[in-house]
Each structure stands twice: as structure tokens, then as C-alpha cells.
Amino acid sequence: MEAPLLLLLLAAVRVDAYRPVIIVHGIFDGPKQFRTLSAFITEAHPGTEVTVIDLYDNLSSLKPLWTQVQHFRRAASTVMEAAPDGVHLLCFSQGGLICRALLATTPDHNVHTFISLSSPQAGQYGDTDYLNRVFPECVKKTVYYFCYRRLGQRVSICDYWNDPHHRSSYLQNNVFLPLLNGDRPHEDMTAWRENFLRIQRLVLIGGPDDGVITPWQSSHFGFYDSSELVVEMRKQEFYRNDTFGLRTLDARGAVSVCIWPEVKHVQWHSNHSVFSSCMEKWLT
Ligand SMILES: *[C@@H]1O[C@H](CO)[C@@H](O)[C@H](O)[C@H]1NC(C)=O
Ligand SMILES: *[C@@H]1O[C@H](CO)[C@@H](O)[C@H](O)[C@H]1NC(C)=O
Ligand SMILES: *[C@@H]1O[C@H](CO)[C@@H](O)[C@H](O)[C@H]1NC(C)=O
């Protein structure tokens, strides 16, 4: 009788052992904005170790993304190394791009589920309050002029500024997103794709009333064509060519999409309905 009892106990212990969750914040915010989300997680799954990485907060979030990726990687690695069963990565807004770059460029990561919470995964092209905080008096039509230069690329927003009317300049001068998406071929593409494909699940969350991510479909890898009509994820060239692994992941049934109306950009991480319907079930 003893052995089955022991197995039962072990099984009970395992059920309780949720994987640690690493949270990466967005632009102009920091750990402070993620207290509610951390509480949602530990209420739903008691005992979960939640780490909100405290780096590049507030205005520092404007630093170039590749620099940020290096430091976020170092912080995330500490949590990963202590988690033999892997971790979950939950990343908000700009943080979702930092996380995807981290996944692509970290060969030994053990991220199980990557939740991209209202992130401009296919880029950003829109007049928003955020844009005006960085470039007062600028309109979206003119931003490329600053962004697609060496100096511009030192501002995080420019690293994912995707102007559909200046495609060749984007491909040539943007040092971040075209490489990450494989829009501009490079020698590390195969390795980055393999690294990215170590994840078991990709969860894409966003919605039409976001108000910041433009087009909002960028949170699900959709983006504007040259007429500013939105082309959905599966029709994007990076998807069809499987340049960074998205099509493979989708073919595995490992891409989950969650769309919610009536949620503004800064509400995504603090809305309990969003948490319980789009995130909770994956954070085991
Ligand atoms: C970021 O801003 C918040 C106020 O919203 C403040 O509490 C926090 O200390 C700031 N973080 C850093 C690192 O300056
Ligand atoms: C996609 O594949 C086509 C056909 O092989 C090629 O012409 C095109 O340059 C590729 N695009 C990307 C972004 O890899
Ligand atoms: C969360 O979002 C839902 C769906 O859009 C909305 O109806 C609800 O009022 C929001 N809840 C809170 C607490 O903001």
C-alpha cells in the first residue's frame, strides 16, 4: 500500500509546482504597473514564482532594443537556470519584442510558453500619444525620416517603426525588426529560428480598442500593406516563407490567439477577464 500512496503524494506535489513566470514590462512603465497581474497569477496558481524584471523602467525604456535584450536576457537567465522544468515569459507591448528577440538569440533558453500581451509584433505605424511623447509635433508620415537613420535607431520605438510607405528604407536601415522577422535575410536566421522554436506555445493577445498598437492587428502579426490595408498573419511574407518559425509553430497547433474588444492599451495587464480567459490556462 505504501508505494501507491507515495506516488499519489508525488503527483500532488507536481500539480502544485507551477513554472516560474517572468514578466517583461512595456514602454514608459516598469514593475509597478504589474502588481495586479502578479497578484492574479499567484491567486490563480498559488506558489508561482513571479519575477517582474526591473530594468529599463520609465524613460529608460527608450534605449535601443538590442541593448535592452542583452540585459533582460541576463536577468531572465538567472530564473531559467533555477527552473529545470522551464519558465513562462509574459511580455507586454514593447516588451513582447524584447522577449521575442531574447528567444531568438538565446540557444539554451527553456521558455515553455511565451505570452505576447498587446505587442506590436509586426511593427508600429500610427499617430498615438506615445509617439507624441517621443516626437512632439511629428506625424506618422514624417517619423521615418528620423527613425531610419543611425541616430534614430538608438530610440526603441524606431527599432519597430514599420512605415509601409518607406519599405526599402525600413529594410535597409532598421537594425531590429527586419532582422527579427527575417524580412531582411541574414546569416543567423536559421539559428534564430531554431532557438525561437524551442517554445511550446505562443499566445497572442490584443484587440481593436487598444488605442496604441497600430494597426491593432500587429499584436497578432498582421500589418499594413502599402495601401494601409491590413494583411493578416497567415498572408504575411514572413509567415509564408517561415522566416522565423511562425508557420512551423502554427502548423504544430502551438499558436493561440486571443482577441478582446473594449480593452485599452494600459488595461491589458490589469483586466481580470483578460487574465482568466487568455492567460491563466497556459501558466501551469
Ligand atoms: C518609474 O516611475 C515610477 C512612477 O510611476 C516610480 O515609482 C519608479 O521608481 C520609477 N522607476 C525608476 C527606476 O526610476
Ligand atoms: C520569400 O520567398 C520568396 C520566394 O522564394 C523570395 O523571393 C522572397 O525574397 C522571400 N522573402 C522573405 C522575406 O524571405
Ligand atoms: C475588462 O475587459 C472587459 C472586456 O472588454 C470589460 O467588459 C470589463 O469591464 C473590463 N474589466 C475591468 C475591471 O476593467
Side-chain angles (χ1 to χ4, degrees), residues 32-33 54 57-58:
K32 206 177 160 187
Q33 280 75 15
D54 188 10
D57 298 345
N58 308 332

Side-chain angles (χ1 to χ4, degrees), residues 186-197:
H186 57 93
E187 60 185 15
D188 296 321
M189 254 164 74
T190 308
W192 287 14
R193 190 170 167 278
E194 275 169 27
N195 298 340
F196 180 64
L197 283 170

Side-chain angles (χ1 to χ4, degrees), residues 5 10 22 32 41 48 140 158 166 204 262 272:
L5 183 65
L10 285 174
I22 302 171
K32 206 177 160 187
I41 296 170
T48 306
K140 65 180 185 181
C158 292
H166 294 90
L204 301 170
E262 287 167 44
H272 196 265

Side-chain angles (χ1 to χ4, degrees), residues 167 171 181-185 189 237-238 240-241 243:
R167 181 84 187 159
L171 290 175
N181 283 352
D183 293 330
R184 179 166 99 226
M189 254 164 74
E237 197 167 302
F238 56 66
R240 285 190 279 114
N241 285 18
T243 45

